[in-house]
Amino acid sequence: MSECQFKIARKGWDLPFLAEAEELGALRRVVEFHLHRWGLPELAEPARLCVTELVTNVITHVGPGTPTTLSVSMNGVHLRLEVTDPDTRALPALVEASGDAEGGRGMALVNAVTDRWGVILRGDTKVTWCELPTGLRSPTDHAEGPRIAKAEALLALFSFGGIRGPGRSDPLSVSAAEETVIELIIDLLHWLRSHGCDPGEALDRAQTRFENALC
């Protein structure tokens, strides 16, 4: 592990909405957006699937237009998704649907991509939840990967005491590291120009490769 360690603040959030089929696309996009901001893009696909199935359950078994709330948070090193609705009678169940069945697969899909799921009754509301493994070491840890590890090593190499001042033992926050990254990029662009290279072209090529890596 390198000397500098990064913390990512992942603050939970709630989104009230009316359970309608037309809302599913927007809900999936909101979840994906936040997971990318949280440094967990690999969880976007299973999280979108879970949100789709949990909300579809409300639409199907409680009714379209039901006031519903989506909550996304970290529970330890797990990503937790909750869908709250006002019907405590219609409880989701794990059903083995036949291959040609049109329904009954929702919770089976959720069960397949999550570590655990369940239902909590709170007075006059029901919370259907599920948790996805993140592979993190702590709720504020960053996702591992060869490029991230290399970037962290570079920051540790170039910042020296700049990241951790005298007497400081707290891990580096992403906001603090951002300034170091910007300064490092500027230094590298100056180096390219001093050697007769085009900094703008290098930035364009880097952006293209970065976007291709996300696909």
Side-chain angles (χ1 to χ4, degrees), residues 46-69:
R48 287 197 306 260
L49 183 149
C50 289
V51 168
T52 298
E53 298 305 333
L54 295 181
V55 175
T56 298
N57 261 351
V58 176
I59 297 171
T60 303
H61 300 292
V62 182
T66 298
T68 309
T69 299

Side-chain angles (χ1 to χ4, degrees), residues 3-173:
E3 175 64 19
C4 61
Q5 301 173 24
F6 298 86
K7 294 192 301 181
I8 298 180
R10 299 182 174 99
K11 184 179 179 180
W13 52 272
D14 302 325
L15 177 63
F17 63 96
L18 297 180
E20 302 279 3
E22 294 78 9
E23 295 292 329
L24 289 173
L27 290 171
R28 288 191 289 260
R29 288 191 293 272
V30 168
V31 169
E32 181 174 9
F33 171 77
H34 278 86
L35 290 180
H36 276 272
R37 291 196 63 184
W38 283 4
L40 301 172
E42 71 282 355
L43 293 183
E45 184 173 351
R48 287 197 306 260
L49 183 149
C50 289
V51 168
T52 298
E53 298 305 333
L54 295 181
V55 175
T56 298
N57 261 351
V58 176
I59 297 171
T60 303
H61 300 292
V62 182
T66 298
T68 309
T69 299
L70 170 66
S71 303
V72 180
S73 62
M74 293 295 296
N75 182 22
V77 295
H78 281 78
L79 175 72
R80 185 178 178 94
L81 306 173
E82 297 182 355
V83 170
T84 304
D85 69 75
D87 193 326
T88 59
R89 298 166 299 172
L91 302 180
L94 189 59
V95 178
E96 289 189 16
S98 60
D100 56 353
E102 295 184 0
R105 299 180 180 178
M107 296 314 297
L109 289 173
V110 171
N111 185 68
V113 300
T114 63
D115 267 3
R116 47 187 177 258
W117 67 274
V119 181
I120 302 172
L121 300 180
R122 295 175 177 165
D124 57 355
T125 63
K126 171 177 86 260
V127 180
T128 307
W129 61 271
C130 63
E131 293 185 350
L132 292 156
T134 64
L136 302 177
R137 295 164 295 189
S138 73
T140 58
D141 188 21
H142 64 77
E144 290 291 350
R147 288 191 177 274
I148 293 174
K150 183 162 60 175
E152 186 170 316
L154 274 173
L155 283 172
L157 177 64
F158 281 91
S159 61
F160 297 103
I163 287 182
R164 292 192 182 191
R168 289 191 58 184
S169 60
D170 55 307
L172 174 69
S173 68

